[in-house]
Amino acid sequence: MNTLLRIIRSPAAIFASGSYAAIVLNLLQGVLFMRILGPEQYGVWLSLLLLFRYGQHIHLGANQSVLRQLPLLKGKGDLEGVATYAANGRGMIALASVGWMVIGAFLIPVFYPAVKLGAAVLVFVTAMEMWWQQGIAEYKTQHRFGAVASMISARAALNFALLPLVLWLDLDGAYLRWVLLMILMLAWTWGRNPVGGGIRFEGSTFGRIIRDGGPILAVGLVFTVQVGLDQTLIFLGLGDQALGRYGVAALLMTIMLVIPSAVGQTAYPRMLEQFGRDGDVSALHPAVLRRTWIVTAASAVIAVVGVLALPFVVKWIMPAYAPGITAAQWLLPGGVFLAASVPSSDFFMAVEKRFLHLKISLVAVTVQLIAGLVVLRSGGDIEGIAATTTASFAIYALLLVTGATRHARGSR
């Protein structure tokens, strides 16, 4: 009984509860959102989301470095260093936000001439998202997972509550909804920040942040490319309408990554603290393998249910998206492989094997890009892109899990 209570009260369980509540709400609002817009407008929306997807990485590693260094500094007992480092991380976010606005001004007329307003809003929202993620990272380093779970579930609830704006104003309502949502979430997150320290602009600390977080950011950026490359290829090679048909697959991939994300985001700070105390690589790996099996099994169950139920559910709830069912079924196994890779990815980051991780990631994304281009050049459609994406995710997971295991064994 005591063991059960410990599990229920554990940070992972608390964080997961908020994540699961967010899953349900995001799934419901996602389905309604897709129904309201229809495949054509939803395709435009997905193309705009590419700005949001890639723009979040413009901060040169501030988020990743704070998430990594604050637990290490805390583990060493350097509480003053925690506040100073966090303050400089915020300074980098401030500079990155301005830089992203400038970059966005050049991207919009080139890639989004027909939807300039929407693209401008997405650029602005992306800058706000960087600030929110930085705040969330600081909460995690202080093990405030209950607060993070509340924020995640509240964000999903607010997103759902603001859905009538989309019903009344279509895409314009979608833009307005996101801006309002981010204003509310930023006020909440930074109004109760647990670290403190203000904002600093110290060149030496900036250099340290870039050296530490830059390689992690590079890995994160490549991962973002992996997850979004299928949609990018479809947008550039097949257009908005094809991307709209791919909407069901895109929604499912987001859902598939929630479980490994919930597990990893609670385990990663503690892994860093442990590594900061004793530096023992091999001691970390058994837990990594255990989490790998857990997330793989959970994701596989979801994938099997999805493959079987998808045709009936989509034709019943979103019949306009029925042409994308087969592509979604092809992509679901890829979600399992991608979920299985996350614990080993966190392990590589914790033990400072970022460049090895980056090499593995680049191999997998290169395979994915070449295969996707072959599909497009040969006249393939979204089903072919989904199948090659799943294959590349399988390669990525195999290389990452094998590499992490070998490194752990070699360190003994």
Side-chain angles (χ1 to χ4, degrees), residues 27 247-257 306 310 328-329 331-332:
L27 179 59
V248 175
L251 178 64
L252 288 175
M253 181 54 67
T254 301
I255 294 170
M256 291 289 288
L257 287 176
L310 204 59
Q329 289 175 318
L331 192 61
L332 275 169

Side-chain angles (χ1 to χ4, degrees), residues 217-299:
L217 176 69
V219 172
L221 179 58
V222 174
F223 184 78
T224 299
V225 171
Q226 284 179 283
V227 176
L229 186 57
D230 52 349
Q231 296 175 48
T232 305
L233 288 170
I234 292 169
F235 170 54
L236 297 177
L238 299 174
D240 289 341
Q241 292 187 3
L243 192 56
R245 288 189 285 115
Y246 200 70
V248 175
L251 178 64
L252 288 175
M253 181 54 67
T254 301
I255 294 170
M256 291 289 288
L257 287 176
V258 170
I259 292 175
S261 176
V263 173
Q265 290 184 65
T266 54
Y268 185 59
R270 294 185 180 278
M271 192 188 305
L272 288 170
E273 284 191 23
Q274 180 180 345
F275 188 64
R277 284 194 302 269
D278 54 39
D280 189 351
V281 173
S282 61
L284 299 176
H285 195 248
V288 172
L289 289 179
R290 184 171 63 254
R291 288 193 292 272
T292 300
W293 284 112
I294 291 172
V295 299
T296 302
S299 301

Side-chain angles (χ1 to χ4, degrees), residues 34-357:
M34 293 169 70
R35 278 182 60 93
I36 293 168
L37 291 183
E40 185 174 347
Q41 287 195 93
Y42 190 64
V44 174
W45 177 255
L46 286 178
S47 71
L48 290 169
L49 282 182
L50 295 175
L51 280 171
F52 180 78
R53 187 188 298 273
Y54 297 123
Q56 296 177 66
H57 299 277
I58 201 70
H59 53 68
L60 301 179
N63 184 281
Q64 288 83 358
S65 186
V66 163
L67 191 59
R68 172 181 166 76
Q69 287 297 329
L70 264 59
L72 289 173
L73 290 168
K74 185 179 178 182
K76 296 175 182 178
D78 187 2
L79 299 183
E80 182 179 350
V82 167
T84 300
Y85 205 89
N88 279 280
R90 296 172 206 138
M92 285 197 67
I93 292 293
L95 295 178
S97 300
V98 176
W100 173 238
M101 296 291 187
V102 174
I103 293 171
F106 288 96
L107 293 175
I108 290 170
V110 176
F111 294 101
Y112 301 96
V115 282
K116 290 182 180 179
L117 173 62
V121 171
L122 264 292
V123 168
F124 178 62
V125 164
T126 302
M128 299 173 77
E129 180 73 16
M130 283 191 285
W131 277 104
W132 190 69
Q133 292 293 343
Q134 192 75 1
I136 290 296
E138 293 183 20
Y139 275 83
K140 290 175 183 175
T141 62
Q142 304 305 304
H143 305 304
R144 298 284 295 276
F145 295 110
V148 174
S150 297
M151 292 176 192
I152 291 173
S153 56
R155 177 171 176 164
L158 286 169
N159 203 29
F160 188 89
L162 293 171
L163 193 60
L165 291 174
V166 185
L167 184 62
W168 297 330
L169 302 173
D170 293 327
L171 279 174
D172 289 340
Y175 309 147
L176 178 60
R177 177 176 73 147
W178 209 343
V179 171
L180 292 175
L181 175 67
M182 291 310 303
I183 290 173
L184 293 171
M185 295 311 302
L186 284 174
W188 182 358
T189 303
W190 287 102
R192 300 184 177 183
N193 181 269
V195 177
I199 298 177
R200 296 190 183 187
F201 300 90
E202 299 172 353
S204 59
T205 307
F206 276 15
R208 181 182 172 188
I209 289 173
I210 294 171
R211 288 191 300 272
D212 178 68
I216 304 175
L217 176 69
V219 172
L221 179 58
V222 174
F223 184 78
T224 299
V225 171
Q226 284 179 283
V227 176
L229 186 57
D230 52 349
Q231 296 175 48
T232 305
L233 288 170
I234 292 169
F235 170 54
L236 297 177
L238 299 174
D240 289 341
Q241 292 187 3
L243 192 56
R245 288 189 285 115
Y246 200 70
V248 175
L251 178 64
L252 288 175
M253 181 54 67
T254 301
I255 294 170
M256 291 289 288
L257 287 176
V258 170
I259 292 175
S261 176
V263 173
Q265 290 184 65
T266 54
Y268 185 59
R270 294 185 180 278
M271 192 188 305
L272 288 170
E273 284 191 23
Q274 180 180 345
F275 188 64
R277 284 194 302 269
D278 54 39
D280 189 351
V281 173
S282 61
L284 299 176
H285 195 248
V288 172
L289 289 179
R290 184 171 63 254
R291 288 193 292 272
T292 300
W293 284 112
I294 291 172
V295 299
T296 302
S299 301
V301 170
I302 295 172
V304 170
V305 173
V307 168
L308 296 175
L310 204 59
F312 306 100
V313 174
V314 172
K315 290 177 182 177
W316 174 42
I317 299 177
M318 300 183 296
Y321 292 87
I325 290 174
T326 303
Q329 289 175 318
W330 273 108
L331 192 61
L332 275 169
V336 178
F337 292 123
L338 203 59
S341 72
V342 172
S344 293
S345 177
D346 291 338
F347 171 78
F348 272 117
M349 294 298 99
V351 302
E352 300 182 358
K353 285 296 178 179
R354 291 159 286 187
F355 288 105
L356 176 57
H357 191 326

